[in-house]
Amino acid sequence: MGRKNTQSSRPVVRKAVIADVPAIQKLVNHFAEKRRMLSRPLAQIYESVRDYIVVEDEGAVVGSAALHVFWEDLAEIRALAVVESHQKRGLGRQLVRKCCSQARRMGIGRVFALTFEVEFFRKLGFSEIPKSELPHKIWSDCIRCPLFPDCDEVAVITSVGKQPHK
Ligand SMILES: CC(C)(COP(=O)(O)OP(=O)(O)OC[C@H]1O[C@@H](n2cnc3c(N)ncnc32)[C@H](O)[C@@H]1OP(=O)(O)O)[C@@H](O)C(=O)NCCC(=O)NCCS
């Protein structure tokens, strides 16, 4: 016997597909307008769509994150966002954990993010590091940002050799 459809759906974390790209951009740019994160042009999301995972709920994209490989032992979590209506339900944590396990599976030992949400990342086992300890390559994104050079985003990093907290 199948389940009845009357049960409320559960958000699902899955790899992004091409059709998700406009919704990812809308979500990211919504928070970029609030200066919480960097805006992303459509072309850039299409080019790196294989980096992206999304949270889908009732057919809508309600969360996103991307894992961008930087170097042999370093990847960045980018475009992490959960729509306000779905925040504080553990979806941000799921997205970060999924990115970290992807990195671990690829043999990448460390994952960093540039963020204003330091407390959120701290809860997931990340710690602050001076931006100067990250490869200079990160500035290629920064110089395209309207906040450059007066940005007070904080660099946080974790080792994914072991399971992130919780
Ligand atoms: C940051 C963000 C992704 C968190 O998503 P979320 O789904 O609300 O997070 P979760 O529910 O998984 O939270 C995990 C833990 O972090 C805590 N947390 C979430 N947001 C937090 C915040 N802003 N400050 C401190 N703690 C926070 C939660 O309370 C929870 O802690 P608990 O386990 O003790 O209950 C979301 O607030 C968001 O999209 N913000 C706007 C965009 C943004 O700033 N992105 C980050 C760019 S790097």
Side-chain angles (χ1 to χ4, degrees), residues 106-142:
M106 280 192 284
I108 294 170
R110 294 176 308 150
V111 171
F112 77 93
L114 294 168
T115 188
F116 298 112
E117 298 293 350
V118 181
E119 217 25 66
F120 164 78
F121 278 98
R122 219 177 254 143
K123 283 189 167 172
L124 301 185
F126 286 69
S127 32
E128 275 182 56
I129 51 157
K131 281 191 212 164
S132 56
E133 286 185 19
L134 294 171
H136 290 148
K137 205 165 170 280
I138 68 161
W139 304 118
S140 61
D141 250 10
C142 290

mmCIF file of all heavy atoms in Angstrom, residues 106-142:
data_model
loop_
_atom_site.group_PDB
_atom_site.id
_atom_site.type_symbol
_atom_site.label_atom_id
_atom_site.label_comp_id
_atom_site.label_asym_id
_atom_site.label_seq_id
_atom_site.Cartn_x
_atom_site.Cartn_y
_atom_site.Cartn_z
ATOM 1 N N MET A 106 36.331 13.369 -2.699
ATOM 2 C CA MET A 106 37.289 13.689 -3.760
ATOM 3 C C MET A 106 38.717 13.676 -3.250
ATOM 4 O O MET A 106 39.650 13.850 -4.029
ATOM 5 C CB MET A 106 36.972 15.070 -4.358
ATOM 6 C CG MET A 106 35.846 15.027 -5.345
ATOM 7 S SD MET A 106 35.755 16.573 -6.267
ATOM 8 C CE MET A 106 35.024 17.622 -5.068
ATOM 9 N N GLY A 107 38.891 13.540 -1.927
ATOM 10 C CA GLY A 107 40.240 13.528 -1.363
ATOM 11 C C GLY A 107 40.752 14.918 -1.029
ATOM 12 O O GLY A 107 41.953 15.118 -0.869
ATOM 13 N N ILE A 108 39.826 15.866 -0.941
ATOM 14 C CA ILE A 108 40.212 17.239 -0.576
ATOM 15 C C ILE A 108 40.075 17.377 0.941
ATOM 16 O O ILE A 108 39.028 17.062 1.500
ATOM 17 C CB ILE A 108 39.308 18.258 -1.303
ATOM 18 C CG1 ILE A 108 39.580 18.172 -2.809
ATOM 19 C CG2 ILE A 108 39.529 19.667 -0.785
ATOM 20 C CD1 ILE A 108 38.601 18.946 -3.649
ATOM 21 N N GLY A 109 41.134 17.858 1.576
ATOM 22 C CA GLY A 109 41.162 17.830 3.044
ATOM 23 C C GLY A 109 40.542 19.018 3.743
ATOM 24 O O GLY A 109 40.133 18.927 4.891
ATOM 25 N N ARG A 110 40.486 20.180 3.037
ATOM 26 C CA ARG A 110 40.026 21.385 3.736
ATOM 27 C C ARG A 110 38.990 22.135 2.908
ATOM 28 O O ARG A 110 39.101 22.221 1.682
ATOM 29 C CB ARG A 110 41.208 22.320 4.020
ATOM 30 C CG ARG A 110 42.213 21.743 5.003
ATOM 31 C CD ARG A 110 43.411 22.662 5.165
ATOM 32 N NE ARG A 110 43.978 23.009 3.878
ATOM 33 C CZ ARG A 110 44.605 24.157 3.609
ATOM 34 N NH1 ARG A 110 44.746 25.070 4.545
ATOM 35 N NH2 ARG A 110 45.106 24.399 2.411
ATOM 36 N N VAL A 111 38.006 22.665 3.625
ATOM 37 C CA VAL A 111 36.945 23.427 2.969
ATOM 38 C C VAL A 111 36.833 24.779 3.676
ATOM 39 O O VAL A 111 36.809 24.835 4.906
ATOM 40 C CB VAL A 111 35.599 22.662 3.052
ATOM 41 C CG1 VAL A 111 34.458 23.526 2.567
ATOM 42 C CG2 VAL A 111 35.670 21.371 2.253
ATOM 43 N N PHE A 112 36.784 25.862 2.886
ATOM 44 C CA PHE A 112 36.633 27.168 3.513
ATOM 45 C C PHE A 112 35.416 27.890 2.955
ATOM 46 O O PHE A 112 34.824 27.478 1.947
ATOM 47 C CB PHE A 112 37.902 28.028 3.334
ATOM 48 C CG PHE A 112 38.068 28.636 1.962
ATOM 49 C CD1 PHE A 112 37.601 29.926 1.694
ATOM 50 C CD2 PHE A 112 38.669 27.933 0.935
ATOM 51 C CE1 PHE A 112 37.758 30.504 0.444
ATOM 52 C CE2 PHE A 112 38.832 28.497 -0.326
ATOM 53 C CZ PHE A 112 38.379 29.775 -0.578
ATOM 54 N N ALA A 113 35.048 28.970 3.626
ATOM 55 C CA ALA A 113 33.981 29.851 3.129
ATOM 56 C C ALA A 113 34.340 31.276 3.525
ATOM 57 O O ALA A 113 35.055 31.501 4.510
ATOM 58 C CB ALA A 113 32.636 29.463 3.736
ATOM 59 N N LEU A 114 33.859 32.222 2.743
ATOM 60 C CA LEU A 114 33.962 33.641 3.105
ATOM 61 C C LEU A 114 32.550 34.067 3.468
ATOM 62 O O LEU A 114 31.630 33.915 2.658
ATOM 63 C CB LEU A 114 34.475 34.459 1.919
ATOM 64 C CG LEU A 114 35.914 34.141 1.519
ATOM 65 C CD1 LEU A 114 36.257 34.765 0.174
ATOM 66 C CD2 LEU A 114 36.891 34.611 2.582
ATOM 67 N N THR A 115 32.372 34.556 4.669
ATOM 68 C CA THR A 115 31.001 34.694 5.162
ATOM 69 C C THR A 115 30.834 35.781 6.212
ATOM 70 O O THR A 115 31.796 36.188 6.864
ATOM 71 C CB THR A 115 30.554 33.337 5.776
ATOM 72 O OG1 THR A 115 29.176 33.404 6.090
ATOM 73 C CG2 THR A 115 31.352 32.977 7.029
ATOM 74 N N PHE A 116 29.586 36.218 6.380
ATOM 75 C CA PHE A 116 29.225 37.049 7.535
ATOM 76 C C PHE A 116 28.619 36.163 8.628
ATOM 77 O O PHE A 116 28.386 36.618 9.731
ATOM 78 C CB PHE A 116 28.187 38.113 7.134
ATOM 79 C CG PHE A 116 28.697 39.084 6.101
ATOM 80 C CD1 PHE A 116 28.170 39.094 4.823
ATOM 81 C CD2 PHE A 116 29.703 39.986 6.406
ATOM 82 C CE1 PHE A 116 28.626 39.983 3.868
ATOM 83 C CE2 PHE A 116 30.171 40.887 5.459
ATOM 84 C CZ PHE A 116 29.639 40.877 4.176
ATOM 85 N N GLU A 117 28.303 34.907 8.267
ATOM 86 C CA GLU A 117 27.598 33.997 9.186
ATOM 87 C C GLU A 117 28.592 33.126 9.952
ATOM 88 O O GLU A 117 28.537 31.890 9.898
ATOM 89 C CB GLU A 117 26.602 33.134 8.414
ATOM 90 C CG GLU A 117 25.515 33.909 7.710
ATOM 91 C CD GLU A 117 24.554 34.607 8.659
ATOM 92 O OE1 GLU A 117 24.607 34.346 9.874
ATOM 93 O OE2 GLU A 117 23.753 35.430 8.179
ATOM 94 N N VAL A 118 29.477 33.814 10.675
ATOM 95 C CA VAL A 118 30.574 33.092 11.342
ATOM 96 C C VAL A 118 30.046 32.114 12.391
ATOM 97 O O VAL A 118 30.502 30.970 12.503
ATOM 98 C CB VAL A 118 31.543 34.097 12.006
ATOM 99 C CG1 VAL A 118 32.693 33.382 12.691
ATOM 100 C CG2 VAL A 118 32.075 35.045 10.950
ATOM 101 N N GLU A 119 29.029 32.541 13.140
ATOM 102 C CA GLU A 119 28.503 31.706 14.219
ATOM 103 C C GLU A 119 27.900 30.409 13.665
ATOM 104 O O GLU A 119 28.086 29.328 14.226
ATOM 105 C CB GLU A 119 27.437 32.517 14.977
ATOM 106 C CG GLU A 119 27.377 32.325 16.449
ATOM 107 C CD GLU A 119 28.651 31.864 17.123
ATOM 108 O OE1 GLU A 119 29.634 32.623 17.123
ATOM 109 O OE2 GLU A 119 28.665 30.741 17.664
ATOM 110 N N PHE A 120 27.176 30.551 12.553
ATOM 111 C CA PHE A 120 26.588 29.383 11.884
ATOM 112 C C PHE A 120 27.700 28.385 11.515
ATOM 113 O O PHE A 120 27.605 27.191 11.815
ATOM 114 C CB PHE A 120 25.817 29.845 10.640
ATOM 115 C CG PHE A 120 25.483 28.751 9.673
ATOM 116 C CD1 PHE A 120 24.423 27.884 9.921
ATOM 117 C CD2 PHE A 120 26.218 28.569 8.508
ATOM 118 C CE1 PHE A 120 24.107 26.863 9.024
ATOM 119 C CE2 PHE A 120 25.921 27.569 7.605
ATOM 120 C CZ PHE A 120 24.859 26.710 7.867
ATOM 121 N N PHE A 121 28.755 28.881 10.874
ATOM 122 C CA PHE A 121 29.830 27.981 10.461
ATOM 123 C C PHE A 121 30.574 27.404 11.667
ATOM 124 O O PHE A 121 30.995 26.257 11.649
ATOM 125 C CB PHE A 121 30.800 28.694 9.510
ATOM 126 C CG PHE A 121 30.304 28.718 8.085
ATOM 127 C CD1 PHE A 121 29.664 29.828 7.567
ATOM 128 C CD2 PHE A 121 30.459 27.607 7.266
ATOM 129 C CE1 PHE A 121 29.188 29.842 6.258
ATOM 130 C CE2 PHE A 121 29.991 27.603 5.958
ATOM 131 C CZ PHE A 121 29.365 28.719 5.451
ATOM 132 N N ARG A 122 30.708 28.212 12.715
ATOM 133 C CA ARG A 122 31.391 27.720 13.917
ATOM 134 C C ARG A 122 30.657 26.503 14.475
ATOM 135 O O ARG A 122 31.268 25.525 14.885
ATOM 136 C CB ARG A 122 31.435 28.834 14.956
ATOM 137 C CG ARG A 122 32.755 28.864 15.690
ATOM 138 C CD ARG A 122 32.834 29.992 16.672
ATOM 139 N NE ARG A 122 33.691 31.048 16.204
ATOM 140 C CZ ARG A 122 33.474 32.354 16.390
ATOM 141 N NH1 ARG A 122 32.401 32.760 17.016
ATOM 142 N NH2 ARG A 122 34.308 33.245 15.935
ATOM 143 N N LYS A 123 29.329 26.585 14.459
ATOM 144 C CA LYS A 123 28.530 25.459 14.967
ATOM 145 C C LYS A 123 28.760 24.196 14.163
ATOM 146 O O LYS A 123 28.515 23.092 14.629
ATOM 147 C CB LYS A 123 27.041 25.804 14.926
ATOM 148 C CG LYS A 123 26.636 26.716 16.039
ATOM 149 C CD LYS A 123 25.139 26.871 16.126
ATOM 150 C CE LYS A 123 24.783 27.535 17.446
ATOM 151 N NZ LYS A 123 23.386 27.892 17.539
ATOM 152 N N LEU A 124 29.200 24.363 12.919
ATOM 153 C CA LEU A 124 29.425 23.193 12.061
ATOM 154 C C LEU A 124 30.890 22.768 12.052
ATOM 155 O O LEU A 124 31.315 21.989 11.197
ATOM 156 C CB LEU A 124 28.956 23.493 10.633
ATOM 157 C CG LEU A 124 27.476 23.879 10.516
ATOM 158 C CD1 LEU A 124 27.068 24.034 9.066
ATOM 159 C CD2 LEU A 124 26.583 22.831 11.159
ATOM 160 N N GLY A 125 31.667 23.308 12.986
ATOM 161 C CA GLY A 125 33.045 22.837 13.138
ATOM 162 C C GLY A 125 34.087 23.660 12.399
ATOM 163 O O GLY A 125 35.260 23.286 12.360
ATOM 164 N N PHE A 126 33.671 24.775 11.791
ATOM 165 C CA PHE A 126 34.631 25.643 11.103
ATOM 166 C C PHE A 126 35.275 26.584 12.122
ATOM 167 O O PHE A 126 34.673 26.910 13.139
ATOM 168 C CB PHE A 126 33.932 26.505 10.046
ATOM 169 C CG PHE A 126 33.523 25.761 8.793
ATOM 170 C CD1 PHE A 126 32.507 24.811 8.826
ATOM 171 C CD2 PHE A 126 34.149 26.026 7.580
ATOM 172 C CE1 PHE A 126 32.117 24.138 7.664
ATOM 173 C CE2 PHE A 126 33.767 25.365 6.425
ATOM 174 C CZ PHE A 126 32.750 24.414 6.461
ATOM 175 N N SER A 127 36.499 27.041 11.812
ATOM 176 C CA SER A 127 37.080 28.094 12.639
ATOM 177 C C SER A 127 37.613 29.217 11.767
ATOM 178 O O SER A 127 37.907 29.018 10.591
ATOM 179 C CB SER A 127 38.162 27.553 13.573
ATOM 180 O OG SER A 127 38.819 26.483 12.977
ATOM 181 N N GLU A 128 37.727 30.375 12.402
ATOM 182 C CA GLU A 128 38.191 31.565 11.660
ATOM 183 C C GLU A 128 39.661 31.464 11.334
ATOM 184 O O GLU A 128 40.437 30.975 12.162
ATOM 185 C CB GLU A 128 37.997 32.810 12.525
ATOM 186 C CG GLU A 128 36.627 33.395 12.442
ATOM 187 C CD GLU A 128 36.513 34.657 13.284
ATOM 188 O OE1 GLU A 128 37.300 35.587 13.085
ATOM 189 O OE2 GLU A 128 35.617 34.665 14.158
ATOM 190 N N ILE A 129 40.034 31.931 10.139
ATOM 191 C CA ILE A 129 41.459 32.102 9.828
ATOM 192 C C ILE A 129 41.638 33.460 9.142
ATOM 193 O O ILE A 129 40.694 33.966 8.523
ATOM 194 C CB ILE A 129 42.037 31.016 8.884
ATOM 195 C CG1 ILE A 129 41.181 30.843 7.626
ATOM 196 C CG2 ILE A 129 42.283 29.720 9.571
ATOM 197 C CD1 ILE A 129 41.971 30.237 6.490
ATOM 198 N N PRO A 130 42.853 34.011 9.238
ATOM 199 C CA PRO A 130 43.092 35.267 8.509
ATOM 200 C C PRO A 130 42.968 34.998 7.014
ATOM 201 O O PRO A 130 43.449 33.962 6.530
ATOM 202 C CB PRO A 130 44.544 35.620 8.872
ATOM 203 C CG PRO A 130 44.888 34.764 10.052
ATOM 204 C CD PRO A 130 44.012 33.552 10.004
ATOM 205 N N LYS A 131 42.316 35.908 6.290
ATOM 206 C CA LYS A 131 42.161 35.725 4.837
ATOM 207 C C LYS A 131 43.511 35.577 4.148
ATOM 208 O O LYS A 131 43.630 34.922 3.126
ATOM 209 C CB LYS A 131 41.434 36.922 4.241
ATOM 210 C CG LYS A 131 39.945 36.891 4.447
ATOM 211 C CD LYS A 131 39.322 37.977 3.592
ATOM 212 C CE LYS A 131 38.088 38.536 4.250
ATOM 213 N NZ LYS A 131 37.628 39.778 3.720
ATOM 214 N N SER A 132 44.520 36.200 4.748
ATOM 215 C CA SER A 132 45.854 36.158 4.132
ATOM 216 C C SER A 132 46.420 34.742 4.081
ATOM 217 O O SER A 132 47.362 34.472 3.353
ATOM 218 C CB SER A 132 46.808 37.072 4.897
ATOM 219 O OG SER A 132 46.810 36.676 6.256
ATOM 220 N N GLU A 133 45.820 33.817 4.851
ATOM 221 C CA GLU A 133 46.311 32.430 4.816
ATOM 222 C C GLU A 133 45.703 31.636 3.667
ATOM 223 O O GLU A 133 46.093 30.500 3.411
ATOM 224 C CB GLU A 133 46.018 31.728 6.142
ATOM 225 C CG GLU A 133 46.938 32.201 7.242
ATOM 226 C CD GLU A 133 46.750 31.442 8.542
ATOM 227 O OE1 GLU A 133 46.183 30.330 8.522
ATOM 228 O OE2 GLU A 133 47.159 31.995 9.581
ATOM 229 N N LEU A 134 44.719 32.234 2.992
ATOM 230 C CA LEU A 134 44.112 31.549 1.836
ATOM 231 C C LEU A 134 44.902 31.905 0.575
ATOM 232 O O LEU A 134 45.549 32.953 0.522
ATOM 233 C CB LEU A 134 42.656 31.978 1.684
ATOM 234 C CG LEU A 134 41.729 31.537 2.817
ATOM 235 C CD1 LEU A 134 40.362 32.191 2.673
ATOM 236 C CD2 LEU A 134 41.582 30.022 2.844
ATOM 237 N N PRO A 135 44.839 31.038 -0.452
ATOM 238 C CA PRO A 135 45.603 31.345 -1.664
ATOM 239 C C PRO A 135 45.158 32.664 -2.282
ATOM 240 O O PRO A 135 43.973 33.019 -2.212
ATOM 241 C CB PRO A 135 45.247 30.181 -2.602
ATOM 242 C CG PRO A 135 44.588 29.157 -1.784
ATOM 243 C CD PRO A 135 44.083 29.800 -0.541
ATOM 244 N N HIS A 136 46.087 33.350 -2.899
ATOM 245 C CA HIS A 136 45.769 34.640 -3.513
ATOM 246 C C HIS A 136 44.680 34.526 -4.561
ATOM 247 O O HIS A 136 43.997 35.491 -4.871
ATOM 248 C CB HIS A 136 47.026 35.263 -4.135
ATOM 249 C CG HIS A 136 47.996 35.727 -3.102
ATOM 250 N ND1 HIS A 136 49.344 35.729 -3.270
ATOM 251 C CD2 HIS A 136 47.775 36.176 -1.834
ATOM 252 C CE1 HIS A 136 49.927 36.170 -2.169
ATOM 253 N NE2 HIS A 136 48.994 36.444 -1.286
ATOM 254 N N LYS A 137 44.506 33.309 -5.081
ATOM 255 C CA LYS A 137 43.513 33.076 -6.119
ATOM 256 C C LYS A 137 42.097 33.503 -5.680
ATOM 257 O O LYS A 137 41.256 33.830 -6.509
ATOM 258 C CB LYS A 137 43.527 31.581 -6.453
ATOM 259 C CG LYS A 137 43.049 31.212 -7.808
ATOM 260 C CD LYS A 137 43.483 29.776 -8.111
ATOM 261 C CE LYS A 137 42.819 29.248 -9.358
ATOM 262 N NZ LYS A 137 41.463 28.799 -9.119
ATOM 263 N N ILE A 138 41.830 33.510 -4.364
ATOM 264 C CA ILE A 138 40.476 33.884 -3.930
ATOM 265 C C ILE A 138 40.143 35.322 -4.325
ATOM 266 O O ILE A 138 38.985 35.674 -4.456
ATOM 267 C CB ILE A 138 40.230 33.713 -2.408
ATOM 268 C CG1 ILE A 138 41.052 34.703 -1.592
ATOM 269 C CG2 ILE A 138 40.437 32.291 -1.949
ATOM 270 C CD1 ILE A 138 40.503 34.865 -0.175
ATOM 271 N N TRP A 139 41.170 36.139 -4.512
ATOM 272 C CA TRP A 139 40.897 37.546 -4.824
ATOM 273 C C TRP A 139 40.313 37.715 -6.218
ATOM 274 O O TRP A 139 39.742 38.748 -6.532
ATOM 275 C CB TRP A 139 42.157 38.407 -4.682
ATOM 276 C CG TRP A 139 42.734 38.274 -3.309
ATOM 277 C CD1 TRP A 139 43.962 37.791 -2.980
ATOM 278 C CD2 TRP A 139 42.079 38.575 -2.065
ATOM 279 N NE1 TRP A 139 44.119 37.773 -1.618
ATOM 280 C CE2 TRP A 139 42.980 38.245 -1.031
ATOM 281 C CE3 TRP A 139 40.815 39.076 -1.723
ATOM 282 C CZ2 TRP A 139 42.661 38.418 0.314
ATOM 283 C CZ3 TRP A 139 40.503 39.233 -0.388
ATOM 284 C CH2 TRP A 139 41.415 38.903 0.607
ATOM 285 N N SER A 140 40.424 36.702 -7.072
ATOM 286 C CA SER A 140 39.855 36.849 -8.415
ATOM 287 C C SER A 140 38.339 37.056 -8.323
ATOM 288 O O SER A 140 37.749 37.777 -9.116
ATOM 289 C CB SER A 140 40.184 35.631 -9.285
ATOM 290 O OG SER A 140 39.640 34.481 -8.700
ATOM 291 N N ASP A 141 37.699 36.443 -7.337
ATOM 292 C CA ASP A 141 36.274 36.674 -7.097
ATOM 293 C C ASP A 141 36.067 38.014 -6.409
ATOM 294 O O ASP A 141 35.162 38.774 -6.743
ATOM 295 C CB ASP A 141 35.711 35.576 -6.185
ATOM 296 C CG ASP A 141 34.788 34.654 -6.941
ATOM 297 O OD1 ASP A 141 34.749 34.766 -8.180
ATOM 298 O OD2 ASP A 141 34.127 33.835 -6.295
ATOM 299 N N CYS A 142 36.927 38.275 -5.429
ATOM 300 C CA CYS A 142 36.742 39.464 -4.598
ATOM 301 C C CYS A 142 36.809 40.741 -5.429
ATOM 302 O O CYS A 142 36.034 41.670 -5.186
ATOM 303 C CB CYS A 142 37.797 39.515 -3.496
ATOM 304 S SG CYS A 142 37.536 38.246 -2.246
#
